[in-house]
């Protein structure tokens, strides 16, 4: 049986979620935001990213996650990064 448009779209959203995860891991938040803005199905990409995170977090110790959540509540959102410097001329 051949692949359908829906299968290809689901695979595309999955690959975009992996790329999004990699961008966040590399602290390239601008690339992650661009990916979501240009995605043909940003909701599916985010759902896949959340599924990936769920699998990843199951491997972490519960007390480590609780500590991270508590620290995040105390710290609040991180400041926006400064814009990148222009390239040297």
């Amino acid at each position: 049986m051949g692949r359908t448009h829906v299968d290809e779209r689901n695979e595309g959203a999955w690959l975009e979620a992996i790329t999004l995860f990699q961008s966040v891991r590399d602290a390239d938040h601008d690339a992650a935001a661009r990916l979501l803005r240009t995605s043909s199905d940003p909701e599916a990409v985010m759902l896949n990213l959340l599924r990936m995170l769920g699998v990843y977090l199951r491997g972490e110790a519960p007390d480590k996650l609780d500590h991270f959540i508590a620290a995040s509540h105390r710290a609040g959102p991180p400041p926006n990064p400064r814009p990148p410097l222009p390239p040297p001329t």
Side-chain angles (χ1 to χ4, degrees):
M1 184 158 68
R3 292 174 53 115
T4 67
H5 174 69
V6 172
D7 292 337
E8 290 173 5
R9 188 170 179 171
N10 288 341
E11 185 173 335
W14 179 246
L15 294 173
E16 286 181 352
I18 293 169
T19 303
L20 186 62
F21 186 89
Q22 290 171 319
S23 296
V24 172
R25 178 197 64 187
D26 297 340
D28 193 349
H29 303 114
D30 291 334
R34 270 192 312 277
L35 187 145
L36 279 177
R37 282 193 302 270
T38 60
S39 175
S40 64
D41 194 349
E43 186 175 348
V45 172
M46 284 304 300
L47 181 58
N48 285 331
L49 177 65
L50 294 173
R51 289 175 174 151
M52 286 178 64
L53 286 173
V55 170
Y56 177 79
L57 292 173
R58 275 185 282 205
E60 289 293 334
D63 59 330
K64 183 178 177 182
L65 295 175
D66 291 341
H67 177 73
F68 178 77
I69 291 167
S72 296
H73 278 288
R74 286 191 307 273
N80 289 328
R82 291 188 289 184
L85 296 174
T89 55

